[in-house]
Amino acid sequence: MRKVVIVGGVAGGASCAARLRRLDESAQIVLLERGPYISYANCGLPYYVGDTIKTESALLLQTPEAMHQKFNVDVRVKNEVLSLDRAKKAVQIKRLDTGEVYEESYDTLVLSTGSSPLRPKIPGIDSPRIETLWTVPDAARIRDTVRTKGIRSAAVIGGGFIGLEMAENLREAGLEVSIVEMQNQVMAPLDYEMAQLLHEHLTENGVALHLGDGVASFADNGQAVSITLKSSKTVSAELVLLAIGVRPNSELAKNAGLTVNVRGGIVTDAHLRTSDPAIYAVGDVTEVEDLVFGGSTMVPLAGPANKQGRMAADNIAGADETYRGTQGTSVAKVFDLTAASTGANEKTLQKRGLTRGKDYEVVTITQNSHAGYYPGALPMTLKLLFSTDGKKLFGAQIVGRDGVDKRIDTIAAVLRLGGGVRDLTELELAYAPPYSSAKDPVNMAGFTAENVLRGKVRFADWNVTEKEPDAVLLDVREDAELLAYSLPNAVHIPLGQLRGRLKELDSGKPIVTVCAIGVRAYNAARILMQHGFQNVRVYPGGARFYRSTHEQPAVQPEAAPKPTAAAAPAKSTAVPSASVRLDCCGLQCPGPIMKVYEAMKAMQEGQVLEVTASDPGFVKDIAAWCRRTGNPLIENTKRGSDFVSLVQKGGTAPTAPAGPLVRDTPQGKTLIVFSGDLDKVLASFIIANGAAAMGRPVTMFFTFWGLTVLRKSKKQPVQKTLVESLFGNLLPRGSKKLRLSRMNMGGMGTAMMKKIMRDKNVSSLEELIQQAIRQGIKIVACTMSMDVMGIKAEELIDGVELGGVGAYLGDAEESNVNLFI
């Protein structure tokens, strides 16, 4: 009968014991644990402190009694292994309750001793107000301190997983919270620009950030701890939580002469055997292989520890399983955001000497968690790193509010299976509007990466404006979007006007296109590249990502405590009631702001608009829009998962900032072009261009015979029915085929008119059309008339929009001149 002794429970040890019993009913299994619990949810400890998990018992996954009854394992808690005698194949153990020391022999030993939180020798660190969180008793002690001792402030030292989760839970408990992090960012697995999304969100939730500044000393004055930072700044807190990393509990292995690495991790082979073939090691205490690059690393995560415990049991029972390595897939909740990563980040690639463009490429995209038209769609930012041949994925990072976990898991699976960019594009993933889009964000990352590999698009660095001050930032958003947020020093040309305004750009300069989230910027880049612009790149993630990475979060050393539900203030009766309610849930940027813009134009001075949106970016957008337009923002709150704002038009509030108000006076001009006669069409474009030159918005709506003006001169390869083809052949093909309505004289009159126009330096119809497009005149082709006339969209010249009567009437409502020609 084989005797297996396992030192340490929790993830690796407990899973090893249970698996081994299922494989070998005859084995004698002894599980030794120096703490009071053999298996508990250590990842759930911060949520017990914050009262999300209500009871301590919910954290206990397996009790010693249940383990013995179910698996016939001799479980001994509060039994600490003091030493290991490899020659005798025995361990010396101390019963902590009695102090008795005894010896236990083994045939096979499994070390699952885990890791412990670092507590460096910083002056003053021995204060009882300075805690670490690693075990259930730790969590119970901190929870009791927060709930019963009137603690009002806390400082978290370290911005890793535990630090961020504790900051959130302490803040939710009503405390003032600071994070002190020696590095310039929180969440080390993320690259700096992705971590900026977390910095922004933490600050928005009242957490004060002290980044790039380590602790020099602590001083307990009896009421609080004064934390002196290396910059000489001080932070005061009644409770301090150390979360600055962990070290492997490998003293037992070291003292027994087992091979360990420089960080103290126990070295094992692919079968998880140590340098002593009778001893296995699993979990945080071990060195593992890096799945992405090979070589050794240390990744203290619960998932790998569980798998290693299971594999060690398999091999002890006679199997020949090998551990292929760890890729470090992780996820964390940070208030309303989820941050996740897998594989290597860009910092790691650069430390290994890899160069962007030569050895690897990067794409950063913003996508919705599910179909945008289904309510509740929320944006996520995804960064993908891959080899320049597309055959290898190095890693990925995602930050968002919903659906992040399943996307990182999907990419992690492809990475582990050795897949590349093409595999991401070919994944067939479940789709229904509440859950995803027909092209899932993972697919979109693959499509975008494929475009990069094929030379269809290039991405700029997130900090391109700092690295390349001569680069032209081309903003292709609409005018109304700029009221919410405008990019500094950017050239603004809306996408719909870009083809007609190419001459405004210097093709010799590097150009970086940007829009709200990146889709229009990509389209703009393709236009420029196909018109001879050589150095064109897309800004990653869009204007939202630029804003998050360039607006530094303000440190809030005296952030007010977050009220608990019981202490939440009642809504002020002074807040005026809404005159108009606008539901923008399901609309993504720039949808809500555009809707607000339209709604305000129809309202009276002093009326209040209540806007409900599901897009989290709306909170900042509406505040900025109100500042730019002078319409007071009365309230900007979150109700459940929605964001609700009250905006007063014009307003009487004395704090209203100066600025232009949205006015009702119509200034636009609309023209319906029904005729296909040269003289009438000429008159239409002359009037339209004149109005545009006066700064007026102009819409030209082409219907029936007027559509012939917009046709391309060359026949296009489109599918048509026989009737459509015959009808199309009878219609003039473009502006050069139009004739005069009178005195045409078999074409002689038309030729004479064109000659006189040339002699008098009057612009030709073709020149007038291009001038209209350059001036931003909206040229709309009636889709109903196109169907009747058998004209397809592919036959129309560039710069033409498709629309119906509703589109025309919407513009006509805002016009003070409406012509039918």
Side-chain angles (χ1 to χ4, degrees):
M1 180 175 64
R2 176 173 36 215
K3 182 177 181 181
V4 180
V5 174
I6 301 171
V7 183
V10 195
S15 63
C16 181
R19 174 67 172 175
L20 183 58
R21 173 58 71 218
R22 286 190 289 266
L23 296 175
D24 187 350
E25 185 62 25
S26 66
Q28 181 184 354
I29 305 173
V30 179
L31 178 58
L32 304 169
E33 170 58 53
R34 67 181 175 184
Y37 307 105
I38 59 161
S39 183
Y40 61 89
N42 50 358
C43 297
L45 298 179
Y47 301 100
Y48 177 57
V49 172
D51 205 38
T52 299
I53 297 173
K54 302 294 182 183
T55 63
E56 183 178 304
S57 61
L59 297 169
L60 306 180
L61 306 178
Q62 190 73 266
T63 65
E65 296 77 18
M67 190 80 174
H68 177 70
Q69 291 172 0
K70 294 178 182 178
F71 299 102
N72 190 25
V73 173
D74 181 0
V75 179
R76 305 175 195 174
V77 296
K78 297 184 180 179
N79 277 247
E80 182 179 6
V81 176
L82 301 177
S83 63
L84 162 61
D85 189 330
R86 293 167 54 196
K88 290 177 63 176
K89 299 186 78 171
V91 290
Q92 191 177 55
I93 308 163
K94 179 180 181 179
R95 289 190 174 99
L96 298 180
D97 283 343
T98 65
E100 175 191 356
V101 177
Y102 67 98
E103 189 174 84
E104 192 75 41
S105 64
Y106 65 83
D107 296 314
T108 303
L109 183 69
V110 179
L111 298 178
S112 178
T113 47
S115 57
S116 298
L118 288 172
R119 200 175 180 101
K121 294 180 180 180
I122 298 174
I125 200 169
D126 293 328
S127 165
R129 292 179 179 273
I130 301 176
E131 297 272 12
T132 57
L133 177 67
W134 203 245
T135 65
V136 174
D138 291 341
R141 186 174 59 253
I142 297 170
R143 175 185 168 103
D144 180 67
T145 299
V146 170
R147 291 167 67 90
T148 65
K149 297 185 179 180
I151 298 294
R152 297 184 59 190
S153 61
V156 178
I157 313 301
F161 292 99
I162 293 176
L164 293 180
E165 289 167 351
M166 279 303 298
E168 175 187 351
N169 281 279
L170 292 171
R171 184 73 181 131
E172 293 290 347
L175 276 65
E176 299 175 17
V177 178
S178 301
I179 292 178
V180 178
E181 170 55 56
M182 185 169 60
Q183 303 299 321
N184 65 349
Q185 67 168 85
V186 301
M187 193 69 77
L190 300 183
D191 285 313
Y192 177 76
E193 73 274 18
M194 297 294 286
Q196 286 280 67
L197 300 173
L198 299 184
H199 299 164
E200 177 185 49
H201 192 61
L202 286 162
T203 303
E204 289 171 352
N205 281 277
V207 176
L209 296 178
H210 303 272
L211 303 176
D213 207 354
V215 176
S217 65
F218 298 101
D220 189 337
N221 60 22
Q223 300 296 320
V225 176
S226 178
I227 308 165
T228 301
L229 305 183
K230 291 184 178 179
S231 65
S232 298
K233 294 179 182 177
T234 59
V235 177
S236 180
E238 296 167 274
L239 171 67
V240 178
L241 182 82
L242 292 179
I244 54 179
V246 298
R247 58 171 179 80
N249 296 328
S250 58
E251 292 82 3
L252 191 64
K254 290 179 188 175
N255 295 336
L258 295 176
T259 303
V260 298
N261 64 20
V262 293
R263 296 174 59 188
I266 300 174
V267 176
T268 65
D269 63 13
H271 297 83
L272 302 176
R273 284 189 298 257
T274 68
S275 53
D276 185 330
I279 303 175
Y280 289 76
V282 299
D284 292 4
V285 75
T286 64
E287 172 187 277
V288 295
E289 182 178 354
D290 184 331
L291 180 73
V292 178
F293 291 107
S296 59
T297 186
M298 296 189 71
V299 184
L301 292 172
N306 272 285
K307 296 177 182 67
Q308 291 164 21
R310 175 187 174 90
M311 184 174 292
D314 286 348
N315 290 333
I316 292 169
D320 188 29
E321 300 288 339
T322 58
Y323 189 71
R324 290 181 52 202
T326 300
Q327 64 198 81
T329 304
S330 60
V331 65
K333 177 181 180 293
V334 184
F335 291 98
D336 296 325
L337 286 181
T338 299
S341 66
T342 190
N345 55 29
E346 192 169 9
K347 293 176 292 188
T348 300
L349 298 185
Q350 292 173 351
K351 285 179 183 178
R352 286 181 169 270
L354 277 66
T355 304
R356 181 173 178 177
K358 176 184 175 184
D359 304 302
Y360 73 92
E361 283 289 359
V362 183
V363 296
T364 302
I365 62 173
T366 300
Q367 292 288 301
N368 287 331
S369 54
H370 60 246
Y373 57 82
Y374 187 89
L378 297 170
M380 66 177 72
T381 301
L382 188 158
K383 180 176 182 178
L384 181 72
L385 300 122
F386 51 96
S387 62
T388 50
D389 62 5
K391 295 180 179 180
K392 182 179 179 65
L393 302 182
F394 290 120
Q397 302 153 50
I398 311 178
V399 178
R401 294 180 181 244
D402 185 39
V404 169
D405 53 341
K406 72 175 182 177
R407 272 59 186 230
I408 205 70
D409 286 344
T410 303
I411 297 174
V414 174
L415 190 156
R416 175 160 284 273
L417 295 173
V421 167
R422 187 56 181 260
D423 298 284
L424 297 181
T425 69
E426 293 179 347
L427 286 175
E428 186 175 333
L429 303 171
Y431 160 61
Y435 305 107
S436 184
S437 299
K439 290 185 285 190
D440 188 85
V442 173
N443 295 137
M444 289 302 300
F447 293 145
T448 307
E450 200 170 57
N451 282 338
V452 170
L453 296 175
R454 293 176 176 175
K456 301 296 183 185
V457 66
R458 293 170 56 213
F459 279 87
D461 291 331
W462 68 272
N463 55 350
V464 63
T465 53
E466 291 80 18
K467 293 172 68 174
E468 302 178 45
D470 292 336
V472 176
L473 200 60
L474 176 60
D475 189 341
V476 297
R477 294 177 296 161
E478 298 300 318
D479 293 338
E481 295 176 73
L482 270 62
L483 294 175
Y485 177 66
S486 58
L487 295 159
N489 303 317
V491 174
H492 177 228
I493 302 177
L495 179 61
Q497 302 176 22
L498 182 57
R499 289 183 180 89
R501 297 174 61 182
L502 294 175
K503 292 181 180 179
E504 297 178 26
L505 300 171
D506 185 347
S507 61
K509 286 189 175 182
I511 296 177
V512 178
T513 59
V514 63
C515 64
I517 61 173
V519 178
R520 286 172 289 174
Y522 169 62
N523 291 331
R526 292 301 302 152
I527 291 171
L528 294 174
M529 291 170 70
Q530 293 179 80
H531 281 83
F533 288 76
Q534 299 298 317
N535 192 350
V536 181
R537 286 164 293 168
V538 172
Y539 187 82
R544 282 250 178 113
F545 194 56
Y546 184 96
R547 187 177 192 177
S548 296
T549 54
H550 286 76
E551 288 188 359
Q552 293 299 319
V555 176
Q556 301 174 1
E558 297 181 1
K562 189 172 184 176
T564 60
K571 188 175 180 179
S572 172
T573 56
V575 175
S577 59
S579 309
V580 178
R581 286 182 169 82
L582 185 63
D583 186 355
C584 295
C585 290
L587 293 179
Q588 300 306 303
C589 178
I593 282 295
M594 301 295 284
K595 290 287 186 181
V596 169
Y597 180 75
E598 296 299 325
M600 291 290 279
K601 287 192 287 188
M603 291 169 56
Q604 301 297 317
E605 295 281 336
Q607 286 187 314
V608 174
L609 175 68
E610 180 185 270
V611 192
T612 304
S614 55
D615 178 10
F618 178 72
V619 174
K620 276 192 171 182
D621 287 349
I622 190 63
W625 186 88
C626 287
R627 287 195 301 270
R628 294 287 295 274
T629 61
N631 297 288
L633 179 61
I634 299 168
E635 193 172 78
N636 207 8
T637 61
K638 186 178 181 184
R639 297 180 192 169
S641 59
D642 293 333
F643 303 91
V644 182
S645 301
L646 289 179
V647 181
Q648 189 171 29
K649 180 169 181 178
T652 57
T655 57
L661 302 182
V662 177
R663 297 294 183 184
D664 290 330
T665 306
Q667 297 292 329
K669 319 296 177 187
T670 53
L671 294 86
I672 301 175
V673 184
F674 178 85
S675 173
D677 295 328
L678 175 62
D679 45 339
K680 296 176 182 178
V681 173
L682 278 168
S684 301
F685 275 98
I686 290 170
I687 294 170
N689 280 317
M694 296 173 64
R696 303 294 187 249
V698 180
T699 296
M700 301 181 73
F701 187 75
F702 290 79
T703 183
F704 285 98
W705 313 113
L707 288 170
T708 60
V709 182
L710 305 180
R711 297 183 77 191
K712 293 177 180 176
S713 58
K714 293 183 179 180
K715 188 173 183 180
Q716 301 298 307
V718 293
Q719 293 292 325
K720 290 188 178 185
T721 65
L722 178 61
V723 174
E724 288 175 336
S725 296
L726 291 172
F727 204 64
N729 289 333
L730 295 173
L731 294 173
R733 196 179 300 280
S735 58
K736 292 183 179 179
K737 298 295 184 181
L738 301 187
R739 298 171 177 266
L740 294 176
S741 61
R742 295 186 182 183
M743 298 176 62
N744 183 54
M745 298 179 292
M748 290 178 60
T750 302
M752 291 170 60
M753 174 69 75
K754 291 181 178 180
K755 182 180 184 306
I756 294 171
M757 290 172 65
R758 286 195 299 269
D759 293 343
K760 299 290 185 180
N761 291 320
V762 177
S763 298
S764 67
L765 177 56
E766 292 71 39
E767 291 170 336
L768 289 170
I769 292 172
Q770 290 305 311
Q771 182 182 345
I773 293 173
R774 285 195 299 272
Q775 289 199 94
I777 292 174
K778 188 188 296 185
I779 299 176
V780 182
C782 175
T783 51
M784 182 277 293
S785 298
M786 288 172 62
D787 289 339
V788 173
M789 307 288 283
I791 297 175
K792 304 298 183 182
E794 295 84 353
E795 296 182 87
L796 301 181
I797 60 175
D798 293 340
V800 176
E801 301 180 20
L802 304 183
V805 175
Y808 153 70
L809 291 176
D811 289 344
E813 286 287 335
E814 302 166 15
S815 302
N816 59 1
V817 171
N818 187 35
L819 301 176
F820 185 95
I821 300 176

